[in-house]
Amino acid sequence: MERSIKIFKSFEEQEQFHTDKMLCSTPMQRFQNLFRMQQITNLFHPAKSKERKITIQKNGYPQ
């Protein structure tokens, strides 16, 4: 992966650069970038447990 520093004069110029770069990439490269972003997100915000504990009480006592 090529790394370089780009200096832009405006946000529009920056947006145009990234749009052109995305249009020139292959679908496989886009999926790889998406996967990298998901991995970084999981590092900073780990997934919480999806299990729920439900306690059923009848007459004030759990069953």
Side-chain angles (χ1 to χ4, degrees):
M1 185 173 147
E2 177 188 337
R3 292 188 176 227
S4 61
I5 296 174
K6 302 277 185 200
I7 298 174
F8 302 104
K9 294 181 181 177
S10 66
F11 290 115
E12 291 81 14
E13 184 181 349
Q14 178 183 5
E15 185 176 348
Q16 185 64 40
F17 172 79
H18 288 295
T19 303
D20 292 342
K21 189 174 177 182
M22 185 198 67
L23 289 175
C24 294
S25 65
T26 64
M28 183 57 86
Q29 290 171 331
R30 293 181 199 157
F31 279 119
Q32 288 173 345
N33 288 338
L34 176 63
F35 181 73
R36 280 191 213 111
M37 288 189 286
Q38 289 174 338
Q39 295 304 313
I40 291 171
T41 300
N42 287 338
L43 284 176
F44 290 118
H45 304 286
K48 296 178 181 174
S49 175
K50 302 261 179 186
E51 296 179 8
R52 287 182 168 180
K53 280 190 174 182
I54 299 175
T55 306
I56 299 174
Q57 292 185 349
K58 187 172 185 179
N59 296 329
Y61 298 100
Q63 294 184 340

